[in-house]
Amino acid sequence: MTLLDERPTTSFSAPRSAFAPAPAERRGVARDRVRLLVADGSRGLTHTRFAHLAEHLRAGDVVVVNDSATVAAQLDAQLVTRADRHGPVVVHLAAPLPDPSTGSGQAWVVEVRRAPDADRAVLDAEPDDVLEIAAGVVRLRLVAPYPEPGSSPTGTGNRLWQASADGDLAAAARRYGRPISYGYLADRYPLSDYQTVFGRRPGSAEMPSAGRPFTADLVTRLVAGGVMVAPVTLHTGVSSQEAGEAPQPERFEVPAATAAVVNAARAGGGRVIAVGTTVTRALESAVEPTGDGSRLVAARGWTSRVVTPADPPRIVDGLVTGWHDPEASHLLLVEAVAGPELTQRAYAAAVDARYLWHEFGDSALLLP
Protein backbone atom coordinates (compact mmCIF):
# COMPACT_ATOMS: atom_id res chain seq x y z
CA MET A 1 0.00 0.00 0.00
CA THR A 2 1.24 3.46 -0.86
CA LEU A 3 2.39 5.53 2.08
CA LEU A 4 1.74 9.25 2.18
CA ASP A 5 4.44 11.85 2.59
CA GLU A 6 1.92 14.31 4.02
CA ARG A 7 0.33 14.12 7.44
CA PRO A 8 -2.68 16.11 8.70
CA THR A 9 -1.89 19.12 10.85
CA THR A 10 -5.25 19.01 12.65
CA SER A 11 -4.67 17.98 16.25
CA PHE A 12 -7.34 16.54 18.51
CA SER A 13 -8.15 13.55 20.66
CA ALA A 14 -11.57 11.97 20.18
CA PRO A 15 -12.43 10.00 23.32
CA ARG A 16 -13.61 6.45 22.65
CA SER A 17 -16.83 7.29 24.49
CA ALA A 18 -17.59 9.73 21.65
CA PHE A 19 -17.81 6.94 19.06
CA ALA A 20 -21.42 6.45 17.94
CA PRO A 21 -22.23 2.92 19.11
CA ALA A 22 -25.33 2.40 16.97
CA PRO A 23 -27.34 3.87 14.07
CA ALA A 24 -29.07 7.10 15.04
CA GLU A 25 -32.59 5.71 14.81
CA ARG A 26 -31.61 2.84 17.14
CA ARG A 27 -30.51 5.52 19.60
CA GLY A 28 -33.92 7.18 19.36
CA VAL A 29 -32.79 9.90 16.93
CA ALA A 30 -34.19 10.33 13.42
CA ARG A 31 -31.58 10.09 10.67
CA ASP A 32 -31.74 13.77 9.81
CA ARG A 33 -31.75 14.85 13.46
CA VAL A 34 -28.11 13.98 14.09
CA ARG A 35 -26.03 17.01 14.99
CA LEU A 36 -24.48 19.18 12.29
CA LEU A 37 -21.58 21.53 12.83
CA VAL A 38 -21.43 24.15 10.08
CA ALA A 39 -17.93 25.60 9.72
CA ASP A 40 -18.22 28.58 7.40
CA GLY A 41 -15.09 30.56 6.61
CA SER A 42 -17.10 33.79 6.55
CA ARG A 43 -19.73 33.21 9.23
CA GLY A 44 -17.88 31.08 11.75
CA LEU A 45 -19.19 27.98 13.50
CA THR A 46 -22.85 27.03 13.94
CA HIS A 47 -24.20 24.08 15.92
CA THR A 48 -27.45 22.77 14.47
CA ARG A 49 -29.19 19.61 13.25
CA PHE A 50 -28.71 17.93 9.89
CA ALA A 51 -32.35 18.58 9.00
CA HIS A 52 -31.42 22.28 8.73
CA LEU A 53 -28.74 21.70 6.08
CA ALA A 54 -30.71 23.59 3.41
CA GLU A 55 -30.52 26.79 5.48
CA HIS A 56 -26.76 26.88 4.94
CA LEU A 57 -26.77 26.35 1.17
CA ARG A 58 -27.78 28.73 -1.62
CA ALA A 59 -29.94 28.43 -4.73
CA GLY A 60 -27.59 27.49 -7.55
CA ASP A 61 -25.37 25.28 -5.39
CA VAL A 62 -25.10 21.65 -6.43
CA VAL A 63 -24.91 18.85 -3.87
CA VAL A 64 -23.17 15.76 -5.28
CA VAL A 65 -24.01 12.42 -3.67
CA ASN A 66 -22.70 8.87 -3.91
CA ASP A 67 -25.29 6.36 -5.21
CA SER A 68 -23.23 3.29 -4.31
CA ALA A 69 -25.05 0.85 -2.03
CA THR A 70 -23.32 -1.09 0.73
CA VAL A 71 -22.89 -4.87 0.37
CA ALA A 72 -22.33 -7.57 2.97
CA ALA A 73 -18.53 -7.72 2.89
CA GLN A 74 -17.58 -9.22 6.26
CA LEU A 75 -17.29 -13.01 6.61
CA ASP A 76 -16.12 -15.35 9.30
CA ALA A 77 -13.36 -17.69 8.14
CA GLN A 78 -10.74 -20.19 9.23
CA LEU A 79 -7.12 -19.62 8.28
CA VAL A 80 -6.57 -23.35 7.83
CA THR A 81 -2.89 -23.23 6.96
CA ARG A 82 -2.08 -21.18 10.06
CA ALA A 83 -4.71 -22.28 12.54
CA ASP A 84 -2.06 -22.87 15.18
CA ARG A 85 -1.31 -19.17 15.17
CA HIS A 86 -4.59 -17.41 14.46
CA GLY A 87 -7.54 -19.79 14.60
CA PRO A 88 -10.74 -18.08 13.43
CA VAL A 89 -10.36 -14.84 11.54
CA VAL A 90 -12.61 -12.27 9.88
CA VAL A 91 -12.29 -11.52 6.17
CA HIS A 92 -13.22 -8.16 4.66
CA LEU A 93 -13.93 -8.16 0.93
CA ALA A 94 -12.56 -4.82 -0.26
CA ALA A 95 -13.28 -5.18 -3.98
CA PRO A 96 -13.59 -7.76 -6.77
CA LEU A 97 -10.84 -7.74 -9.39
CA PRO A 98 -11.02 -8.96 -12.94
CA ASP A 99 -9.43 -12.40 -13.08
CA PRO A 100 -6.67 -12.17 -15.70
CA SER A 101 -7.37 -15.72 -16.84
CA THR A 102 -11.14 -15.61 -17.05
CA GLY A 103 -12.13 -11.96 -16.91
CA SER A 104 -14.63 -12.88 -14.21
CA GLY A 105 -14.82 -11.52 -10.66
CA GLN A 106 -13.23 -14.42 -8.78
CA ALA A 107 -10.10 -12.51 -7.85
CA TRP A 108 -10.55 -10.22 -4.89
CA VAL A 109 -8.81 -7.65 -2.75
CA VAL A 110 -9.28 -8.80 0.84
CA GLU A 111 -8.17 -7.90 4.32
CA VAL A 112 -7.72 -10.49 7.09
CA ARG A 113 -8.55 -9.27 10.59
CA ARG A 114 -8.74 -10.79 14.06
CA ALA A 115 -11.91 -12.55 15.18
CA PRO A 116 -14.48 -11.95 16.48
CA ASP A 117 -14.82 -8.18 16.11
CA ALA A 118 -12.16 -7.31 13.50
CA ASP A 119 -10.39 -5.04 15.94
CA ARG A 120 -6.95 -5.43 14.34
CA ALA A 121 -5.48 -6.49 11.01
CA VAL A 122 -3.61 -9.78 10.76
CA LEU A 123 -0.31 -8.63 9.28
CA ASP A 124 1.72 -11.84 9.15
CA ALA A 125 -0.30 -13.77 6.58
CA GLU A 126 1.73 -15.16 3.69
CA PRO A 127 1.25 -16.06 0.01
CA ASP A 128 -0.60 -19.39 -0.43
CA ASP A 129 -2.30 -19.13 2.96
CA VAL A 130 -5.80 -20.56 2.58
CA LEU A 131 -8.97 -19.39 4.28
CA GLU A 132 -12.12 -21.49 4.43
CA ILE A 133 -15.44 -19.66 4.40
CA ALA A 134 -18.78 -21.18 5.40
CA ALA A 135 -17.28 -24.54 6.38
CA GLY A 136 -15.34 -24.79 3.14
CA VAL A 137 -18.08 -23.72 0.73
CA VAL A 138 -15.51 -21.23 -0.56
CA ARG A 139 -11.75 -21.48 -0.22
CA LEU A 140 -9.79 -18.28 -0.54
CA ARG A 141 -6.06 -18.41 -1.37
CA LEU A 142 -3.89 -15.38 -0.70
CA VAL A 143 -1.88 -14.76 -3.88
CA ALA A 144 0.16 -11.61 -3.25
CA PRO A 145 0.12 -8.45 -1.16
CA TYR A 146 -2.03 -5.74 -2.72
CA PRO A 147 -1.14 -3.58 -4.49
CA GLU A 148 2.50 -4.32 -3.68
CA PRO A 149 4.60 -6.16 -1.04
CA GLY A 150 5.96 -4.61 2.11
CA SER A 151 3.19 -2.09 2.44
CA SER A 152 2.30 -1.97 6.11
CA PRO A 153 2.94 1.43 7.71
CA THR A 154 3.87 -0.46 10.86
CA GLY A 155 6.89 -1.80 9.01
CA THR A 156 5.74 -5.40 9.43
CA GLY A 157 3.71 -7.54 7.07
CA ASN A 158 0.93 -6.69 4.66
CA ARG A 159 -2.64 -5.59 5.29
CA LEU A 160 -4.39 -6.04 1.93
CA TRP A 161 -4.09 -9.09 -0.31
CA GLN A 162 -5.00 -10.15 -3.79
CA ALA A 163 -6.78 -13.47 -3.36
CA SER A 164 -8.29 -16.08 -5.64
CA ALA A 165 -11.58 -17.73 -4.75
CA ASP A 166 -12.43 -21.38 -5.32
CA GLY A 167 -16.20 -21.11 -5.27
CA ASP A 168 -18.66 -18.26 -5.66
CA LEU A 169 -17.44 -15.78 -3.07
CA ALA A 170 -20.00 -13.12 -3.99
CA ALA A 171 -22.84 -15.60 -3.47
CA ALA A 172 -21.33 -16.72 -0.16
CA ALA A 173 -21.13 -13.09 0.96
CA ARG A 174 -24.79 -12.52 0.09
CA ARG A 175 -25.83 -15.61 2.04
CA TYR A 176 -23.42 -15.68 4.97
CA GLY A 177 -21.94 -12.19 5.04
CA ARG A 178 -22.80 -9.15 7.11
CA PRO A 179 -21.89 -5.46 6.89
CA ILE A 180 -18.33 -4.63 7.86
CA SER A 181 -18.26 -3.45 11.45
CA TYR A 182 -15.63 -2.79 14.09
CA GLY A 183 -15.37 -3.30 17.82
CA TYR A 184 -16.62 0.13 18.89
CA LEU A 185 -20.21 -0.72 17.89
CA ALA A 186 -22.55 -2.00 20.59
CA ASP A 187 -24.05 -4.73 18.39
CA ARG A 188 -24.26 -6.06 14.86
CA TYR A 189 -26.85 -4.30 12.71
CA PRO A 190 -28.64 -5.38 9.51
CA LEU A 191 -27.47 -4.36 6.07
CA SER A 192 -30.43 -1.98 5.73
CA ASP A 193 -28.93 0.16 8.50
CA TYR A 194 -25.86 0.67 6.30
CA GLN A 195 -27.72 2.07 3.29
CA THR A 196 -28.20 5.69 2.38
CA VAL A 197 -31.28 7.15 0.70
CA PHE A 198 -29.17 7.47 -2.48
CA GLY A 199 -27.81 3.90 -2.63
CA ARG A 200 -28.98 2.05 -5.74
CA ARG A 201 -25.81 0.47 -7.20
CA PRO A 202 -24.48 -2.28 -4.88
CA GLY A 203 -20.70 -2.38 -4.54
CA SER A 204 -19.37 -0.54 -1.49
CA ALA A 205 -17.47 -2.60 1.05
CA GLU A 206 -18.25 0.05 3.65
CA MET A 207 -21.10 2.54 3.80
CA PRO A 208 -20.57 5.93 2.12
CA SER A 209 -21.56 7.29 5.49
CA ALA A 210 -21.66 11.03 4.80
CA GLY A 211 -24.92 10.50 2.95
CA ARG A 212 -26.60 8.58 5.76
CA PRO A 213 -28.36 11.53 7.48
CA PHE A 214 -30.13 12.55 4.26
CA THR A 215 -33.82 11.71 3.94
CA ALA A 216 -36.20 11.98 0.99
CA ASP A 217 -37.88 14.90 2.71
CA LEU A 218 -34.60 16.76 3.13
CA VAL A 219 -33.67 16.18 -0.52
CA THR A 220 -37.06 17.55 -1.54
CA ARG A 221 -36.48 20.69 0.51
CA LEU A 222 -33.04 21.18 -1.01
CA VAL A 223 -34.41 20.95 -4.53
CA ALA A 224 -37.36 23.20 -3.67
CA GLY A 225 -34.86 25.79 -2.49
CA GLY A 226 -33.01 25.76 -5.80
CA VAL A 227 -30.17 23.47 -4.74
CA MET A 228 -29.43 20.82 -7.34
CA VAL A 229 -28.66 17.22 -6.35
CA ALA A 230 -26.57 15.04 -8.69
CA PRO A 231 -25.10 11.54 -8.31
CA VAL A 232 -21.73 9.95 -8.85
CA THR A 233 -20.68 6.41 -7.98
CA LEU A 234 -17.67 5.37 -5.96
CA HIS A 235 -17.63 1.85 -4.58
CA THR A 236 -15.72 2.12 -1.33
CA GLY A 237 -12.98 -0.22 -0.24
CA VAL A 238 -12.22 -0.91 3.40
CA SER A 239 -11.73 2.14 5.61
CA SER A 240 -9.36 0.59 8.10
CA GLN A 241 -6.22 2.33 6.88
CA GLU A 242 -3.44 2.73 9.32
CA ALA A 243 -1.89 6.12 10.02
CA GLY A 244 -0.02 7.38 6.98
CA GLU A 245 -1.56 4.86 4.59
CA ALA A 246 -3.11 6.09 1.35
CA PRO A 247 -6.59 4.89 0.39
CA GLN A 248 -6.56 1.94 -1.98
CA PRO A 249 -7.66 2.24 -5.61
CA GLU A 250 -11.47 2.33 -5.88
CA ARG A 251 -14.03 1.94 -8.70
CA PHE A 252 -15.86 5.11 -9.69
CA GLU A 253 -18.09 6.68 -12.31
CA VAL A 254 -18.97 10.31 -12.99
CA PRO A 255 -21.88 10.37 -15.46
CA ALA A 256 -22.08 12.91 -18.27
CA ALA A 257 -25.32 14.33 -16.83
CA THR A 258 -23.66 15.06 -13.49
CA ALA A 259 -20.66 16.64 -15.20
CA ALA A 260 -23.05 18.93 -17.10
CA VAL A 261 -24.93 19.92 -13.92
CA VAL A 262 -21.70 20.66 -12.04
CA ASN A 263 -20.21 22.69 -14.88
CA ALA A 264 -23.44 24.68 -15.25
CA ALA A 265 -23.55 25.39 -11.51
CA ARG A 266 -19.95 26.61 -11.49
CA ALA A 267 -20.58 28.80 -14.53
CA GLY A 268 -23.52 30.36 -12.69
CA GLY A 269 -21.56 31.07 -9.52
CA GLY A 270 -22.88 28.10 -7.56
CA ARG A 271 -20.77 26.02 -5.23
CA VAL A 272 -20.03 22.32 -5.62
CA ILE A 273 -20.73 20.58 -2.31
CA ALA A 274 -19.44 17.02 -2.12
CA VAL A 275 -21.23 14.65 0.23
CA GLY A 276 -18.32 12.73 1.63
CA THR A 277 -14.73 11.98 0.88
CA THR A 278 -15.87 9.35 -1.63
CA VAL A 279 -17.67 11.93 -3.76
CA THR A 280 -14.71 14.30 -3.53
CA ARG A 281 -12.39 11.59 -4.75
CA ALA A 282 -14.69 10.66 -7.63
CA LEU A 283 -15.18 14.25 -8.76
CA GLU A 284 -11.51 15.09 -8.52
CA SER A 285 -10.73 12.01 -10.61
CA ALA A 286 -12.74 13.43 -13.50
CA VAL A 287 -11.29 16.92 -13.92
CA GLU A 288 -10.03 18.19 -17.23
CA PRO A 289 -7.92 21.37 -17.44
CA THR A 290 -9.19 24.18 -19.63
CA GLY A 291 -7.57 27.37 -20.79
CA ASP A 292 -8.83 29.36 -17.82
CA GLY A 293 -9.33 26.70 -15.17
CA SER A 294 -10.88 23.25 -15.19
CA ARG A 295 -14.12 21.44 -15.87
CA LEU A 296 -15.71 18.16 -14.91
CA VAL A 297 -15.95 15.44 -17.55
CA ALA A 298 -17.61 12.05 -17.68
CA ALA A 299 -15.21 9.34 -16.48
CA ARG A 300 -15.21 5.83 -15.06
CA GLY A 301 -12.75 3.16 -13.98
CA TRP A 302 -10.38 2.78 -11.02
CA THR A 303 -9.03 5.84 -9.29
CA SER A 304 -5.88 6.19 -7.24
CA ARG A 305 -6.40 9.94 -6.78
CA VAL A 306 -5.50 11.08 -3.28
CA VAL A 307 -6.72 14.59 -2.45
CA THR A 308 -4.36 16.37 -0.05
CA PRO A 309 -3.32 19.95 0.69
CA ALA A 310 -0.36 19.42 -1.65
CA ASP A 311 -2.70 18.22 -4.40
CA PRO A 312 -5.91 20.09 -3.59
CA PRO A 313 -9.36 19.86 -5.18
CA ARG A 314 -10.09 21.68 -8.42
CA ILE A 315 -13.86 21.26 -8.53
CA VAL A 316 -15.12 20.78 -4.96
CA ASP A 317 -15.91 23.95 -2.97
CA GLY A 318 -17.48 22.49 0.17
CA LEU A 319 -17.89 19.21 1.99
CA VAL A 320 -20.50 17.33 4.00
CA THR A 321 -18.67 14.75 6.06
CA GLY A 322 -18.54 12.76 9.25
CA TRP A 323 -15.73 12.97 11.79
CA HIS A 324 -12.48 11.20 11.06
CA ASP A 325 -9.71 9.77 13.21
CA PRO A 326 -6.45 11.63 13.86
CA GLU A 327 -3.83 10.92 11.18
CA ALA A 328 -6.41 9.41 8.79
CA SER A 329 -5.91 10.07 5.09
CA HIS A 330 -9.53 11.26 5.01
CA LEU A 331 -8.50 14.08 7.35
CA LEU A 332 -5.94 15.19 4.78
CA LEU A 333 -8.77 15.41 2.24
CA VAL A 334 -10.84 17.50 4.67
CA GLU A 335 -7.93 19.88 5.16
CA ALA A 336 -7.47 20.09 1.39
CA VAL A 337 -11.09 21.19 0.93
CA ALA A 338 -11.62 23.35 4.02
CA GLY A 339 -8.10 24.51 4.77
CA PRO A 340 -6.13 23.49 7.87
CA GLU A 341 -7.21 26.45 10.02
CA LEU A 342 -10.96 25.96 9.53
CA THR A 343 -10.57 22.19 9.91
CA GLN A 344 -8.73 22.66 13.22
CA ARG A 345 -11.46 25.00 14.52
CA ALA A 346 -14.20 22.58 13.50
CA TYR A 347 -12.57 19.54 15.09
CA ALA A 348 -11.76 21.40 18.30
CA ALA A 349 -15.39 22.55 18.57
CA ALA A 350 -16.70 19.06 17.82
CA VAL A 351 -14.53 17.51 20.52
CA ASP A 352 -15.56 20.16 23.06
CA ALA A 353 -19.27 19.69 22.25
CA ARG A 354 -18.94 15.89 22.28
CA TYR A 355 -20.07 15.24 18.75
CA LEU A 356 -20.28 11.56 17.88
CA TRP A 357 -17.63 9.99 15.63
CA HIS A 358 -17.66 7.35 12.88
CA GLU A 359 -20.21 6.01 10.44
CA PHE A 360 -23.30 6.34 12.66
CA GLY A 361 -22.21 9.62 14.24
CA ASP A 362 -22.77 13.34 13.69
CA SER A 363 -21.91 15.47 10.68
CA ALA A 364 -20.11 18.58 9.50
CA LEU A 365 -20.66 21.03 6.66
CA LEU A 366 -17.39 22.72 5.75
CA LEU A 367 -17.61 25.89 3.66
CA PRO A 368 -14.20 27.57 3.32
Side-chain angles (χ1 to χ4, degrees), residues 14-342:
R16 192 171 179 83
S17 60
F19 295 175
E25 55 271 34
R26 295 183 184 275
R27 295 185 274 112
V29 179
R31 282 195 178 211
D32 63 357
R33 296 299 297 178
V34 297
R35 301 173 73 188
L36 175 69
L37 190 152
V38 181
D40 188 307
S42 301
R43 300 179 178 178
L45 305 184
T46 302
H47 297 275
T48 182
R49 296 283 172 178
F50 200 86
H52 299 294
L53 175 70
E55 299 169 14
H56 300 274
L57 299 177
R58 301 192 296 253
D61 288 345
V62 56
V63 171
V64 185
V65 302
N66 188 355
D67 67 2
S68 176
T70 313
V71 299
Q74 186 177 75
L75 287 154
D76 294 322
Q78 292 284 335
L79 188 50
V80 295
T81 52
R82 302 173 72 84
D84 58 323
R85 297 181 61 185
H86 291 299
V89 295
V90 172
V91 177
H92 288 174
L93 309 181
L97 291 171
D99 188 310
S101 61
T102 66
S104 67
Q106 287 302 295
W108 290 76
V109 179
V110 304
E111 179 185 35
V112 185
R113 296 186 70 87
R114 296 200 330 174
D117 57 3
D119 64 332
R120 285 192 298 170
V122 172
L123 294 176
D124 61 346
E126 297 178 352
D128 293 325
D129 277 353
V130 173
L131 300 104
E132 286 188 347
I133 294 170
V137 170
V138 177
R139 289 170 63 88
L140 199 59
R141 183 174 65 86
L142 303 185
V143 176
Y146 181 86
E148 57 195 7
S151 58
S152 172
T154 66
T156 302
N158 298 284
R159 194 175 65 79
L160 296 178
W161 288 84
Q162 181 178 339
S164 63
D166 180 9
D168 192 336
L169 185 57
R174 288 193 294 271
R175 181 167 184 178
Y176 302 106
R178 57 184 179 271
I180 288 177
S181 64
Y182 299 99
Y184 55 81
L185 295 178
D187 204 347
R188 289 177 176 174
Y189 303 101
L191 187 59
S192 58
D193 282 0
Y194 290 80
Q195 305 298 0
T196 73
V197 70
F198 309 110
R200 66 179 184 85
R201 303 180 69 181
S204 279
E206 299 200 27
M207 175 174 58
S209 55
R212 193 179 193 281
F214 283 85
T215 63
D217 179 64
L218 175 55
V219 172
T220 299
R221 280 186 280 123
L222 286 170
V223 173
V227 175
M228 295 168 282
V229 178
V232 298
T233 303
L234 186 137
H235 296 310
T236 69
V238 294
S239 67
S240 52
Q241 286 95 343
E242 299 171 42
E245 186 177 0
Q248 65 262 37
E250 294 171 309
R251 298 163 290 159
F252 83 104
E253 180 174 2
V254 175
T258 292
V261 167
V262 167
N263 291 331
R266 297 178 76 218
R271 298 171 296 184
V272 179
I273 310 299
V275 178
T277 58
T278 62
V279 170
T280 304
R281 191 182 202 194
L283 290 176
E284 296 299 328
S285 300
V287 177
E288 181 179 86
T290 62
D292 56 353
S294 58
R295 69 187 185 102
L296 194 67
V297 296
R300 64 183 302 180
W302 289 77
T303 179
S304 297
R305 177 80 160 90
V306 181
V307 180
T308 71
D311 192 2
R314 293 161 178 79
I315 293 290
V316 172
D317 300 305
L319 180 64
V320 174
T321 182
W323 300 98
H324 304 289
D325 285 336
E327 297 289 324
S329 61
H330 288 163
L331 192 54
L332 272 176
L333 184 150
V334 174
E335 291 181 351
V337 174
E341 189 274 336
L342 187 63

